[in-house]
Amino acid sequence: MGKPLQRQRLPRVVGEVGLDLLNDARRARPRITDPGDAEGLHDFRVALRRLRAWLQAYRGQPGIAFPKSLRRELRDLARATNRARDGEVMLAWLGQTLPALPAAERGAGEWWRQRLELDVAEAYESASLAVETHFPGLDARLQSRLDKLRTRKKGRAPSFGEASAVALSALRERLVAEVEAVGSVEDAESLHRPRITGKRIRYLLRPWRKASLRCRRAERAMKAFQDAFGVLHDDLVRESAMRDMALAQASGELEARFVEVARGGTPRASAPRHLRGFMGLVRENRRRLLAHYEIAVGVEGAGGIEALSMRLEAACAAMREISS
């Protein structure tokens, strides 16, 4: 019987799990252009993020040599799909929300939706081109590097368990510091950092869910934490987008009025047509945002960081016990 995963050499496990994640991206890639598959782009992006986070977690460990340029390429390709996915998520939210809105808000939302549909179609074309242009070569380079890691036999390298404990401990310390630095609901950047670190911790814990009850419990706790900050992040992104759209609509309408007056038309000084609707959208979104902020800084999120930190410490200990 072969060694359990946690007692295997680190390069082998990093290579094998990395190849599994690369295969996830390969399977998702053709789904991006399938009109009937709403999750293809999302799954492709998740696979890229997980692979990059996986490689980041173990970089610098003995036996792990992975070029920074490849991690940067993974980051850049994922970013090239941001606009399409963000627009797709916003369209889905508008589709669910618009029917129940008052008339003014519904009018503003419909104006936004019509323009967003065009933007998303254009963004999808750009994202698809980026994927088709850059992924095949990146795929081949990643395959080669991960294969070399997986089959590496020479050189000093720690066990997967010890290396995972070291990586998780560093991320735990980072998460605690980021949570302690959270300012207010207006400080979007300080609220963004714990969410990203939380994702990296979850990605690191995923291979351990079947190997350790303590790791499984830590992963569940991290999911609750990440979900709380993820919902809040969505609210913050929507608020910014609503303001941008309100300004774009108002600016466009005012510009048209100036052109009309310059051509001899009657001056009109009333508020832009959808200003009231956008203000209503922002007000309602702010109400949700504040409620979600209280959850994120409550016991499920930042307010429970001490208990969460203890769960992560217990997971670190389990990794070391299993690897000994």
Side-chain angles (χ1 to χ4, degrees):
M1 182 180 295
K3 289 183 180 179
L5 176 67
Q6 57 272 18
R7 293 184 180 176
Q8 292 179 16
R9 288 166 56 86
L10 175 64
R12 177 179 177 179
V13 180
V14 170
E16 287 181 346
V17 175
L19 286 169
D20 287 342
L21 295 171
L22 182 57
N23 282 329
D24 288 344
R26 288 169 178 157
R27 284 190 290 269
R29 176 187 168 191
R31 296 167 49 209
I32 294 175
T33 54
D34 181 355
D37 192 335
E39 296 300 316
L41 180 61
H42 171 69
D43 291 346
F44 180 77
R45 285 163 51 81
V46 168
L48 294 186
R49 284 203 308 265
R50 285 179 177 168
L51 178 53
R52 182 167 177 257
W54 180 252
L55 298 175
Q56 282 182 315
Y58 297 101
R59 71 183 188 276
Q61 296 256 19
I64 302 300
F66 214 91
K68 185 177 180 180
S69 60
L70 284 178
R71 298 199 309 273
R72 188 182 301 117
E73 285 185 71
L74 280 167
R75 178 202 65 194
D76 292 345
L77 183 54
R79 285 180 178 175
T81 67
N82 281 354
R83 182 176 153 218
R85 180 56 184 172
D86 289 348
E88 188 176 55
V89 170
M90 202 71 74
L91 272 179
W93 178 82
L94 283 168
Q96 294 170 357
T97 305
L98 283 181
L101 291 176
E105 285 84 343
R106 193 166 60 250
E110 183 62 28
W111 181 92
W112 183 8
R113 184 188 65 78
Q114 291 174 5
R115 283 149 185 81
L116 188 56
E117 284 178 344
L118 296 174
D119 186 64
V120 169
E122 180 183 303
Y124 249 88
E125 289 183 8
S126 177
S128 297
L129 178 60
V131 171
E132 293 307 309
T133 301
H134 299 292
F135 184 68
L138 176 58
D139 182 5
R141 290 190 292 276
L142 288 167
Q143 176 76 43
S144 175
R145 283 286 180 172
L146 291 168
D147 271 333
K148 287 178 181 178
L149 279 179
R150 182 175 60 85
T151 58
R152 184 178 184 273
K153 291 183 169 56
K154 296 181 180 180
R156 183 174 61 88
S159 69
F160 177 59
E162 177 60 28
S164 294
V166 170
L168 180 57
S169 181
L171 286 171
R172 182 196 65 80
E173 291 179 5
R174 178 172 180 171
L175 181 68
V176 171
E178 288 172 345
V179 166
E180 291 175 348
V182 168
S184 70
V185 70
E186 308 300 335
D187 190 353
E189 185 59 32
S190 74
L191 292 168
H192 176 66
R193 295 190 191 104
R195 184 180 70 89
I196 298 302
T197 301
K199 280 187 179 182
R200 293 179 62 189
I201 291 174
R202 280 195 68 201
Y203 295 162
L204 189 148
L205 285 168
R206 283 177 66 85
W208 289 90
R209 289 177 299 178
K210 294 182 179 179
S212 163
L213 177 61
R214 280 176 282 178
C215 291
R216 189 157 62 250
R217 286 173 174 168
E219 198 270 341
R220 286 196 199 119
M222 282 308 311
K223 183 179 187 307
F225 177 93
Q226 186 186 336
D227 286 349
F229 274 86
V231 170
L232 178 61
H233 173 75
D234 291 344
D235 291 335
L236 289 165
V237 169
R238 271 195 300 269
E239 183 170 88
S240 177
M242 287 172 183
R243 290 176 175 175
D244 289 345
M245 287 300 99
L247 290 172
Q249 192 278 326
S251 177
E253 185 172 327
L254 291 175
E255 179 63 27
R257 290 185 192 180
F258 282 123
V259 171
E260 183 181 352
V261 169
R263 292 174 177 173
T266 303
R268 290 180 293 141
S270 58
R273 182 174 40 152
H274 291 304
L275 180 59
R276 179 182 175 187
F278 274 114
M279 291 177 73
L281 287 173
V282 170
R283 181 179 62 245
E284 178 59 23
N285 190 76
R286 172 54 62 138
R287 184 191 65 77
R288 287 193 303 269
L289 190 156
L290 292 174
H292 291 150
Y293 174 76
E294 292 302 320
I295 294 173
V297 299
V299 293
E300 290 295 328
I305 190 61
E306 184 175 348
L308 181 59
S309 179
M310 290 176 63
R311 284 199 181 278
L312 294 175
E313 286 180 342
C316 288
M319 290 169 176
R320 288 192 165 101
E321 288 170 9
I322 294 170
S323 64
S324 61

